[in-house]
Amino acid sequence: MELVGVDPTYVPVGRKRRSVLAIYARFQGESIHRAIYLEQLAVSDLADKLAQRLEMPTGPVVEVVRRTKKGVTVKVDDSVVMQLDDEQDMEV
């Protein structure tokens, strides 16, 4: 079998990293949610992606906290990020 019309110099371009978790975040003062795609199930990746969406430098993010519907404030660590549901919506 012989392939015709194939460029022998073609080098396929690798895909970008695939996300492992999608979160839909609605920021204060906005009426719509924005998609945030995490490449790692880590609080550092979550903080970086949130900072990017908020157009702020990532350096000042000291910690991430989550407030539950019952009003409990929880410090977010990697294990909390691992427990988030894919395509979960949240307010930031």
Side-chain angles (χ1 to χ4, degrees):
M1 182 178 348
E2 183 179 336
L3 297 175
V4 178
V6 176
D7 181 2
T9 62
Y10 173 76
V11 178
V13 178
R15 285 186 171 188
K16 291 184 177 181
R17 292 183 182 176
R18 296 186 61 96
S19 64
V20 294
L21 181 68
I23 298 170
Y24 301 124
R26 185 168 58 107
F27 297 96
Q28 189 173 14
E30 295 183 0
S31 60
I32 60 171
H33 288 75
R34 293 196 245 170
I36 296 176
Y37 300 101
L38 300 184
E39 296 166 358
Q40 305 169 19
L41 292 176
V43 69
S44 59
D45 195 31
L46 175 62
D48 289 345
K49 296 297 191 300
L50 288 172
Q52 287 173 7
R53 287 292 186 175
L54 291 168
E55 297 177 353
M56 61 183 271
T58 57
V61 177
V62 176
E63 68 181 0
V64 177
V65 295
R66 179 180 186 190
R67 188 166 297 123
T68 66
K69 291 179 181 180
K70 294 180 181 180
V72 177
T73 303
V74 179
K75 182 175 179 177
V76 175
D77 60 11
D78 291 347
S79 63
V80 174
V81 175
M82 288 180 201
Q83 297 300 317
L84 292 174
D85 293 329
D86 193 32
E87 300 184 353
Q88 179 174 334
D89 63 303
M90 61 178 58
E91 293 181 28
V92 178

